Amino acid sequence: MADFSDLRSREYGLFVDPGQAQDELHEFSISKVIGDYARLQAGHGYGYVSDLVFDNGGKLAAVVISREASAGGGTYAFPYPGQTGRWSPKLSYYGLPYVTADQANKAGLRLDMREFQNS
């Protein structure tokens, strides 16, 4: 669950007590993930984390990844795997569970960012 209680802070987290983050491996600071590179299983770069999507209850639902035009461009949303995925918040990148960019493109939901301009 996201904690946005201090909207003045530039550090948003998935936990209320920042000291708790060291104890809980599945919890991390949102602001530390946005901007991270997204990599495929083989280690190749896919894009970068440009946003996170939360459901109405504040639960992280998806990770939004933007791709450079030279890599095919586009913005894709991928379901957040939670604790069942192989990704760890301790990594310096966001790991996708796909081997090739083509597999990731087919699995992700391509977003038309123009749809969000007025929201």
Side-chain angles (χ1 to χ4, degrees):
M1 302 294 280
D3 174 25
F4 293 108
S5 59
D6 183 4
L7 294 176
R8 293 169 286 146
S9 173
R10 299 191 59 81
E11 295 287 321
Y12 299 113
L14 293 177
F15 43 87
V16 176
D17 178 12
Q20 183 182 0
Q22 286 78 19
D23 300 333
E24 303 292 335
L25 295 176
H26 61 278
E27 295 182 342
F28 55 92
S29 175
I30 296 165
S31 48
K32 299 271 191 254
V33 176
I34 294 177
D36 277 358
Y37 285 108
R39 298 196 176 279
L40 301 168
Q41 278 187 0
H44 299 288
Y46 180 76
Y48 67 94
V49 178
S50 57
D51 212 340
L52 300 174
V53 178
F54 294 86
D55 65 16
N56 290 337
K59 185 176 177 183
L60 182 57
V63 176
V64 177
I65 297 177
S66 297
R67 302 194 71 206
E68 298 288 332
S70 61
T75 303
Y76 295 84
F78 295 92
Y80 177 65
Q83 297 178 43
T84 61
R86 287 201 228 164
W87 177 75
S88 166
K90 291 188 175 189
L91 298 174
S92 62
Y93 61 90
Y94 183 78
L96 289 167
Y98 311 103
V99 176
T100 68
D102 188 48
Q103 288 174 337
N105 291 346
K106 289 177 182 174
L109 173 65
R110 185 160 183 154
L111 302 175
D112 182 354
M113 297 311 290
R114 294 176 297 198
E115 297 290 326
F116 297 95
Q117 287 178 349
N118 295 326
S119 57

